[in-house]
Amino acid sequence: MPRFSIIVPCFKVQGFLRECLDSVLEQSYRDLEVIAVDDRSPDGCGAILDEYAARDDRVRVLHLPENVGLGRARNAGLPHASGDYLFFLDSDDTLTPGALRAMADRLDEVADPDVLVFDYARTYWWGGTRRNALAHVLADCGDAAFTAAEHPEILDLLMVVWNKVYRRDFVEENGFRFPPGYYEDTPWTFPVMLSARRVATLDRICLNYRQRRQGNILSTTSRKHFDIHDQYERVFAFVDSRPELASWRPYLHRKMGEHCLDILAKPDRLPPRDRGEFFRRTAELFARHRPAGEPVPAGLRVLRGPYAAYVVRRQGGRAGRELARRAAQARGSAAGRVRRGMGALQARRPLDPRLVVYSAFSHRGVLGDPGAVYRKAREIAPHLRGVWVVRDEETAAGLPEGVEHVLLDSPAYRRVTARAGFFVNNVNWPGTLAKRPGSVHIHTHQGTPLKYMAADLLDRPGARYGVDVPQMLRRADRWDHSLVANPYSELVWERAYPCHFASARTGSPRNDVLVTADAQAGARVRARLGIPADHTVVLYAPTRREYVRGGHVDRIDLARFAADLGEGHTLVVRLHPSLATGHARGTGLSDLHRRGIVVDATDVPDVEDVMLASDVLVTDYSALMFDYANLDRPIVVHADDWGAYTASRGTYFDITAEAPGHVSRGYPELVRLMNSGGWRDEESARLRAGFRERFCVFDDGRAAERVVRTLLLGEEMTGPATLRVPAPAVAGDVLASR
C-alpha cells in the first residue's frame, strides 16, 4: 500500500501535463501511485498519460467515456486509490522538489492526522512567483494536531482541495465526494475541514500553483458561475445534517456572501446581462440562510437592498478611475486621433470575406508559409483577393509580377486591414492592428521550435534582451489558428503562447515543395547558383547565439572547411536571417563567395530552393533541420558549444541525444565524418527515420491546400498522410542509389 495516492484529472492541458507528471515521478520520495484520469480530453492528454504509464508502473490511467468535469473526474479516481493519503493534484500545477518527502515526514511526526495543510506559491506565466500571503497561519497553528474550532484561522486560507492531503480512511468513513459544476472545491473543503478531528500544517511550499495567462476555467465568462449558489446549498445541507456543526452557520453565511460578491465584482466571470439575476439569487440565498439574531456585516448589507443600489455603489468607486482614463485619452496627439477616426470609419464597413491580407518575415515579401498559402489560394480559389503588406518601396519592387500589395502603415494598409476577413502571417502583426470581430487570424510560425520561444524566454534574461514578451503575447491574442507540422510543436506553442487559439494540424505549407518536388528541382536550383551538377553539395546553416554580442560566432573556419571537403564538393552557406545584414558576412563570407570558395545563399529568397539543391545539411541548432528532414537526406549536427547555447537560450529537448543524424562535438570530428562518408551511413539513416517519424508527421505535400480549403474556404478535407517519398537532390545522384 503506497503512502500517497495522487489523483490527477486531465482535460485540455497537454502543454503542461508532462511538467506536472515529471514533478511527481521525479520526487525523491517514491512511495506513491498516480491515478491519472483522462476526462475525455480532446487534445493529446490521453496519449501522454498512456506514454507515462507504459514506462512507470506507478502510473495508472483511466480514460473516461465522456467529459464529466473536474469534480466528477476526481471522484472517478477515488475507487482506484489504495494509498494512506489522497492528494488531488491539478494537472497544470507542479510539486516542488522534496515536497512529498516533507509531507511524509510531517505525517509521521503528527501520527497520521486526518488532514495535512501545506503551503503553495503562485507561479505566473511571465516568470514571477508569489508566496501565499497567509502562509504565517501555517506556523501560527503550532506543531500539534488541532481542530478547526481550536484554530479557526485555518479556514482563512484558500479553501481549495489541492493544498491539502487527506487520510483515505477519513474520506471514506465520511463519504466525501465532489459535486458537479464550477466551484466544486467549496462543498468538499468546508465539510472536510469542519469534520476533521485532527488537522496538521506544514509550513513549506510544496506546490506551484500555475497562474495561467488564459485558459483558467473560473476566468471564463459564463452562466456556469451560478453554480456557486448550489455549492453553498450543499455546504449548508451538510451542516444541517451534523448538529454538532451548527455553530459554524454564521461563519459560513458570511463566507458565502463574500464569495458570491467577489464573483460578481470580477469583470470576466458573468455575462453582463446576467449580473442582475446573479445578485438577486445571491441575495435570496443570503436571506434564506441568515442565522436568527445574527447581525449583518457592513460589507454584506448591500445584499439586503436592490441590485440598482449595488450598481450605484460600484459605479461610485469607478467614477474617479474613469475620469483619469478620459483625461489621459484626451492628451493623445492630433495625428493619433485622426488615425483612430479613419480606423473607426473603416470599421463601420462590413468585413470582406474574400479579402486575405498576407505578410511574412516582418513584411519582407512573398515568402515562407504565407507565400505557399497565397500561391495555392491563387490556384484553387482565384476569387479570393490576396493583398501583401510590405515594409518599403524597395521590397515592393522585388515582388513577383501581379502581386497586389500595400505599404506598412499607409492609408491603403489601414483600409485593407480594417476590412479583411482573413490574415495570414508568420510573425505577429503590429500592435496597432485591431482585430475586428469575425476576422480570422492564421499564424503559421517559422518552423518547428528547438529553442525557447515567447513566454518561455521569461526566465532567460539574456535571450529575451530587447524582446517585449507581454506585448508579443498581447499580439498573439489575435490568433484564431496556429499551424503545426507535428504534435510536438502543438504542445510547445500552447506553452509558449498562453493565448486562445486552435491548433491546426495542417503541416507546414512551405514544406510542400520539399515533399512533392521532382528529381530535377534541385538541378535547376544548382544551375541558377552556378554549382556543378556532379558536385556533392554541403549546406551549412548556423543559427545565432544569445551568449555573444551580435549573435554571431565563427564556429567553423569556412575556407578551411571548404578545402577539407575536397574536390567534387561545394559548400553552400545560409546564415540565420537575423545575421544576414550583420558583420557575419563582412568578416569573411562575402569575400569567400566572391572568390568562389563557398556559395553564400543567405539572400536566396526561398530557403526551400537551397535545401533542394543540397545533398547534406550541416547545422548546429537551426530549426531548418526539421524542415530538411522532409527530404530524407542526411543531416549532421555540429554541437561543439551545446552547453553554452542551451544555458543561454534554453531548448525544449536535447538535440544531441535525439539527433536527426550524426553529431560532431568538434571540428576534427566533423571533418572525419564528412571525409569518411559516415554522414550517410546506415546509422545516419536510422537516426533520420526516427526524427522524421516524430517531426514530419503532418507534412504530406498538401499543407497549403489544407489551409486554403479548411481555414479560408470552410471546406472539409482529409487529414495529413503519413507516407512521404521525397525526391533526391539531382537525378541519379549517390543518395538516390542507396
Side-chain angles (χ1 to χ4, degrees), residues 446-451 539-545 574-577 607 611 617-629 635-638 642 645 651 653 655 660 691:
Q446 296 182 42
T448 295
L450 171 63
K451 59 189 178 185
L539 171 59
Y540 176 53
T543 194
R544 67 175 289 115
R545 304 309 203 269
R574 173 84 176 193
L575 294 179
H576 188 275
V607 67
M611 289 190 277
L617 170 66
V618 176
T619 185
D620 34 43
Y621 325 114
S622 172
L624 198 68
M625 71 179 83
F626 297 97
D627 302 320
Y628 196 86
I635 301 172
V636 175
V637 176
H638 185 56
W642 172 247
Y645 181 82
T651 57
F653 68 96
I655 191 63
F691 193 81

Side-chain angles (χ1 to χ4, degrees), residues 356-360 363 370-371 373-375 377 384-390 422-425 429 708 712:
V356 187
V357 175
Y358 296 88
S359 181
H363 322 299
V373 173
Y374 169 76
R375 289 187 289 270
L384 295 178
R385 176 191 173 199
V387 179
W388 280 84
V389 177
V390 295
F422 297 93
F423 293 81
V424 183
N425 200 344
W429 292 98
V708 174
L712 299 185

Side-chain angles (χ1 to χ4, degrees), residues 665-682:
R665 300 286 185 172
Y667 181 74
E669 184 180 3
L670 173 63
V671 172
R672 285 195 300 272
L673 191 64
M674 300 305 295
N675 289 343
S676 67
W679 56 275
R680 59 185 181 191
D681 62 12
E682 292 183 1

Side-chain angles (χ1 to χ4, degrees), residues 56-345:
D56 194 319
D57 58 10
R58 295 175 296 168
V59 179
R60 186 186 315 175
V61 181
L62 305 179
H63 295 283
L64 301 186
E66 60 180 357
N67 176 247
V68 297
L70 181 57
R72 288 190 285 182
R74 289 170 177 159
N75 290 342
L78 278 173
H80 301 274
S82 61
D84 297 329
Y85 279 84
L86 302 172
F87 184 1
F88 299 98
L89 178 63
D90 286 353
S91 48
D92 55 353
D93 295 337
T94 57
L95 296 185
T96 60
L100 292 182
R101 167 57 66 186
M103 290 182 203
D105 290 347
R106 180 66 174 141
L107 291 172
D108 291 342
E109 181 182 348
V110 193
D112 287 2
D114 295 330
V115 181
L116 176 68
V117 186
F118 52 82
D119 199 14
Y120 64 92
R122 296 175 187 266
T123 57
Y124 295 87
W125 62 268
W126 42 265
T129 300
R130 180 166 62 87
R131 189 176 187 181
N132 169 24
L134 296 177
H136 63 87
V137 171
L138 297 170
D140 293 345
C141 288
D143 292 334
F146 57 90
T147 64
E150 293 168 335
H151 283 286
E153 64 271 25
I154 194 68
L155 300 181
D156 292 333
L157 296 176
L158 193 61
M159 282 289 97
V160 291
V161 67
W162 43 256
N163 63 349
K164 310 168 184 72
V165 294
Y166 313 87
R167 188 167 57 84
R168 183 167 59 88
D169 289 345
F170 163 68
V171 170
E172 292 179 351
E173 288 165 6
N174 286 273
F176 294 128
R177 291 294 183 272
F178 293 92
Y182 279 19
Y183 306 100
E184 75 291 331
D185 284 7
T186 299
W188 168 282
T189 51
F190 281 120
V192 164
M193 294 300 292
L194 298 181
S195 301
R197 296 183 180 88
R198 302 182 69 249
V199 178
T201 59
L202 173 60
D203 185 15
R204 183 192 193 278
I205 295 175
C206 295
L207 181 139
N208 291 317
Y209 176 29
R210 187 187 300 273
Q211 304 295 288
R212 293 165 68 173
R213 182 172 179 269
Q214 294 182 4
N216 186 313
I217 292 176
L218 293 185
S219 295
T220 303
T221 303
S222 167
R223 280 186 61 87
K224 291 184 178 180
H225 293 283
F226 280 78
D227 290 351
I228 189 65
H229 301 127
D230 290 338
Q231 306 297 22
Y232 272 101
E233 289 283 17
R234 292 183 172 100
V235 173
F236 287 120
F238 180 83
V239 172
D240 289 343
S241 71
R242 305 282 182 101
E244 70 274 15
L245 301 179
S247 62
W248 287 102
R249 287 187 63 86
Y251 171 85
L252 294 171
H253 181 254
R254 176 173 59 85
K255 279 290 186 182
M256 179 271 293
E258 292 172 348
H259 196 169
C260 292
L261 286 180
D262 181 63
I263 294 170
L264 186 60
K266 288 182 165 58
D268 59 353
R269 299 292 174 92
L270 295 161
R273 66 181 180 276
D274 297 325
R275 298 174 67 81
E277 179 187 352
F278 184 90
F279 177 88
R280 288 187 290 273
R281 288 184 56 178
T282 298
E284 293 168 0
L285 182 68
F286 189 76
R288 185 163 59 252
H289 291 286
R290 180 186 171 189
E294 287 291 330
V296 177
L300 299 178
R301 289 172 189 166
V302 67
L303 289 171
R304 302 178 69 180
Y307 177 60
Y310 168 82
V311 172
V312 169
R313 180 180 173 184
R314 292 285 301 172
Q315 288 178 341
R318 288 196 294 261
R321 295 190 297 271
E322 179 64 15
L323 286 174
R325 187 191 68 81
R326 290 183 178 181
Q329 187 179 36
R331 290 193 294 269
S333 67
R337 289 195 296 272
V338 169
R339 285 195 296 271
R340 285 194 296 271
M342 292 177 62
L345 178 64

Side-chain angles (χ1 to χ4, degrees), residues 669-714:
E669 184 180 3
L670 173 63
V671 172
R672 285 195 300 272
L673 191 64
M674 300 305 295
N675 289 343
S676 67
W679 56 275
R680 59 185 181 191
D681 62 12
E682 292 183 1
E683 177 64 7
S684 169
R686 185 189 67 79
L687 293 170
R688 187 167 67 253
F691 193 81
R692 281 161 47 82
E693 184 177 355
R694 181 180 180 188
F695 296 111
C696 301
V697 180
F698 303 146
D699 282 335
D700 64 346
R702 301 183 68 192
E705 180 186 359
R706 193 168 289 108
V707 173
V708 174
R709 293 197 184 280
T710 62
L711 303 184
L712 299 185
L713 300 179

